[in-house]
């Protein structure tokens, strides 16, 4: 998928130098739960990213590399949280290499990805979990019309929802408040939808 300035694509092993830079950045790590990465662990994690190319079942992750002028500058990830037709939920996250922050890349990429995901996955609920001190990501969440839920001090939960989806968002926030791992290992139903990063590049 092309935006005005960016190419959104699958990760490649050739991204390793920039990927390790991003993962090792103190600024990035400050707002994530990532451990300190060695180059070896970054390679291992990037290999996993190259396989995260489809959303079909609950907990599937679609990892999308953000490329600018031939160079990896960041990532967007999408994770299916629920496939139930009435409460289909997609968790979104983003990060940008510190050298390229403040240029609107995350917003430009997220707008295209979310527009495509809404149409393809028909996601009714969007969730983003943001560190409350990460002012840039908080501002971006607002710009994307995601709204904070109260009572999530350690991580601010932002949602885009309407009507009957409010209870689902509150349930997600409650799990965050008590520190539960909300990433279920079992599909919630048998309904199947798919979104492929390879399709996005067509």
């Amino acid at each position: 998928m092309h935006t005005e300035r960016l190419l959104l694509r699958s990760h490649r092993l050739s991204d390793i130098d920039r990927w390790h830079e991003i993962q090792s950045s103190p600024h990035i790590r400050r707002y994530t739960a990532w451990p300190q990465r060695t180059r070896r662990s970054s390679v291992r994690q990037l290999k996993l990213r190259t396989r995260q190319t489809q959303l079909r079942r609950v907990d599937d992750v679609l990892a999308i590399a953000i490329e600018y002028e031939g160079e990896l500058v960041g990532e967007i990830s999408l994770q299916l949280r629920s496939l139930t037709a009435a409460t289909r939920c997609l968790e979104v996250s983003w990060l940008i290499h510190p050298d390229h922050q403040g240029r609107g890349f995350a917003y430009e990429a997220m707008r295209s990805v979310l527009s495509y995901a809404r149409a393809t996955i028909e996601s009714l609920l969007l969730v983003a979990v943001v560190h409350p001190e990460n002012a840039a990501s908080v501002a971006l969440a607002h710009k994307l019309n995601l709204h904070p839920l109260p009572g999530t001090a350690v991580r601010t939960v932002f949602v885009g929802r309407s009507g009957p989806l409010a209870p689902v968002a509150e349930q997600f926030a409650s799990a965050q408040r008590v520190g539960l791992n909300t990433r279920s290992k079992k599909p919630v139903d048998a309904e199947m939808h798919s979104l492929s990063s390879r399709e996005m590049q067509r």
Side-chain angles (χ1 to χ4, degrees), residues 72-88:
L72 179 72
V73 298
E75 179 194 64
I76 291 172
S77 67
L78 309 176
Q79 183 172 19
L80 280 177
R81 306 295 256 165
S82 170
L83 279 171
T84 304
T87 59
R88 190 167 296 120

Side-chain angles (χ1 to χ4, degrees), residues 5 7 9 12 15 67-73:
R5 297 175 293 174
L7 170 64
R9 57 167 174 81
R12 303 166 182 160
D15 294 328
E67 180 181 311
Y68 173 67
E69 295 185 346
E71 186 173 55
L72 179 72
V73 298

Side-chain angles (χ1 to χ4, degrees), residues 1 6 17 40 50-51 73 78 82 110 115 118 142 147:
M1 178 184 294
L6 307 171
D17 290 337
R40 178 178 293 181
T50 63
R51 298 193 296 270
V73 298
L78 309 176
S82 170
M110 286 293 296
S115 176
R118 284 190 182 103
H142 285 292
H147 308 286

Side-chain angles (χ1 to χ4, degrees), residues 180-192:
L180 295 178
N181 179 359
T182 58
R183 288 173 172 79
S184 168
K185 301 304 180 184
K186 296 181 179 179
V188 294
D189 60 29
E191 187 177 1
M192 303 287 284

Side-chain angles (χ1 to χ4, degrees), residues 142-194:
H142 285 292
K143 196 172 182 180
L144 292 169
N145 294 317
L146 302 178
H147 308 286
L149 289 174
T152 53
V154 177
R155 290 288 189 273
T156 302
V157 179
F158 287 87
V159 297
R161 70 194 191 284
S162 61
L165 294 178
V168 179
E170 292 291 351
Q171 183 180 21
F172 184 92
S174 295
Q176 293 290 322
R177 283 194 287 270
V178 298
L180 295 178
N181 179 359
T182 58
R183 288 173 172 79
S184 168
K185 301 304 180 184
K186 296 181 179 179
V188 294
D189 60 29
E191 187 177 1
M192 303 287 284
H193 291 259
S194 66

